[in-house]
Amino acid sequence: LIHFYKRMLGFLSWTIWTFGALPLGLAAFVVYRKVTKPPREPIQKKDWKKDVVYLYQFPLLPKVRTISPFAMKLETWLRMNDIKYENIFTLKFSRKGQIPYIEFNGEEIPDSNIIISTLKKYFNKDPEDAYSKREAGIGHTVITMLENHTTPTGFDYRYGHHMPEFLECLQVAKFYPSGVKMWGMIQPYGTRFRSYLQGTGRHELEEIWEFARKDLVAVSEILGDKPFLLGDTPSTVDCALFGHLAQFLYIDIGFPQREVLVKECSNLVALVERMKEKFWPDWEEQIPKIK
């Protein structure tokens, strides 16, 4: 009986520590770091020029240019609208904890969608003006689906279940300054935990890949035989499609989404290549080569 009580006390102690003291300790540590951390400068680029966009994004990598589909979407959008910009490659995140972000006329602006909306108004350049409100609504809906449903299945695949292959394929350790080994160890657990909390991770992997397949086939049907998703001229949604689908097509680690694109959605593959040819004539010159 005494042995049983000792075991129960041990279990209770472990439970209190795990669900009480440990989280409280971690929370206290985070608060301490925030309080003692020197205040962040409002902007990093002190010698900025008016109306120039300073685009902060991850360092470039072989094959796919950037591992951020959001950065590729945004940079393609800047090129499409002839907006002057300069890249600043960094691993430092914005005040909101996001990357990419920009500094524009002395102000930091995070989140690719907020950035695009802000620049549309400032420069009075909106590629959606070529289309009806209904067509623009379709574009908005496709972007929302891509970024909140389709692409997370890709993150789940590459970060949650194939992180070593992902790092090896792009030789990330040779192009990022430090921390890649630790990132490779921690990221899979974080991705799978986040996916579980969001609900996606509660499904079997084949079910998750099927979610993505249905998304891609649906977009392929919308595209049809048009040169761009909404019609004859590219718009914001085409920049998003290029940025997100390039991740599946150019990072060769066995994405099931890539198989769907190649076998069932050849028009989307053609769209990605069309956007690359139109807005990235310097693609091969810019991306680093495998060492």
Side-chain angles (χ1 to χ4, degrees):
L1 189 61
I2 293 175
H3 181 67
F4 171 77
Y5 282 133
K6 285 183 177 179
R7 289 183 62 184
M8 286 297 295
L9 286 171
F11 175 76
L12 288 171
S13 298
W14 177 85
T15 303
I16 292 169
W17 166 251
T18 303
F19 297 102
L22 182 58
L24 285 173
L26 289 172
F29 176 73
V30 170
V31 171
Y32 170 77
R33 287 294 299 271
K34 284 186 175 293
V35 170
T36 59
K37 189 176 181 179
R40 176 171 172 156
E41 293 290 333
I43 60 169
Q44 301 172 60
K45 183 73 174 176
K46 301 299 183 182
D47 56 342
W48 56 270
K49 297 177 182 177
K50 182 176 172 58
D51 292 354
V52 175
V53 174
Y54 297 96
L55 173 55
Y56 290 79
Q57 61 170 306
F58 291 129
L60 300 185
L61 289 171
K63 299 183 180 181
V64 74
R65 180 177 174 85
T66 174
I67 60 172
S68 170
F70 304 96
M72 195 180 299
K73 173 189 75 173
L74 176 56
E75 191 170 1
T76 304
W77 190 89
L78 292 169
R79 288 180 169 223
M80 183 174 72
N81 289 281
D82 295 318
I83 294 174
K84 187 175 181 180
Y85 73 95
E86 292 181 17
N87 275 313
I88 299 177
F89 300 110
T90 182
L91 294 178
K92 186 175 182 179
F93 287 66
S94 71
R95 291 193 306 274
K96 286 186 176 181
Q98 294 174 300
I99 196 167
Y101 55 99
I102 67 168
E103 288 182 353
F104 182 63
N105 290 342
E107 179 187 2
E108 180 187 285
I109 307 174
D111 190 283
S112 61
N113 290 317
I114 293 176
I115 292 167
I116 288 173
S117 178
T118 301
L119 297 180
K120 278 182 179 181
K121 293 175 183 177
Y122 185 87
F123 289 107
N124 194 28
K125 291 186 175 184
D126 190 343
E128 282 69 69
D129 285 345
Y131 296 103
S132 67
K133 289 184 178 180
R134 178 180 178 276
E135 290 166 329
I138 291 171
H140 173 78
T141 301
V142 169
I143 292 173
T144 302
M145 181 188 72
L146 272 176
E147 298 186 346
N148 296 285
H149 194 254
T150 317
T151 289
T153 70
F155 289 158
D156 199 53
Y157 182 90
R158 79 187 196 188
Y159 293 141
H161 301 280
H162 295 85
M163 190 69 177
E165 297 95 320
F166 170 74
L167 295 176
E168 177 61 27
C169 175
L170 300 180
Q171 296 190 359
V172 178
K174 296 181 180 179
F175 295 95
Y176 277 27
S178 62
V180 173
K181 186 176 181 180
M182 182 62 67
W183 180 39
M185 293 171 59
I186 294 174
Q187 186 66 52
Y189 298 102
T191 296
R192 292 200 295 268
F193 181 63
R194 181 177 181 179
S195 180
Y196 184 84
L197 292 179
Q198 290 176 330
T200 305
R202 300 165 193 261
H203 299 287
E204 299 295 328
L205 292 180
E206 291 305 317
E207 293 174 322
I208 297 174
W209 312 150
E210 179 62 14
F211 292 156
R213 190 192 75 81
K214 289 180 177 178
D215 288 353
L216 296 171
V217 170
V219 179
S220 177
E221 288 294 328
I222 295 172
L223 174 60
D225 59 1
K226 301 189 298 296
F228 302 102
L229 192 76
L230 302 183
D232 293 331
T233 59
S235 62
T236 304
V237 67
D238 297 295
C239 298
L241 285 166
F242 175 69
H244 289 274
L245 300 187
Q247 303 291 310
F248 299 139
L249 292 170
Y250 299 161
I251 304 176
D252 189 13
I253 56 172
F255 278 112
Q257 296 90 336
R258 184 183 190 279
E259 184 176 359
V260 173
L261 286 167
V262 172
K263 292 184 177 180
E264 302 182 56
C265 307
S266 59
N267 59 344
L268 288 178
V269 177
L271 171 63
V272 170
E273 292 305 312
R274 195 174 299 119
M275 291 291 291
K276 180 180 172 183
E277 181 179 347
K278 187 175 182 65
F279 298 112
W280 291 95
D282 54 349
W283 179 274
E284 294 299 333
E285 300 169 16
Q286 287 213 3
I287 62 173
K289 301 299 184 285
I290 294 290
K291 297 180 179 179

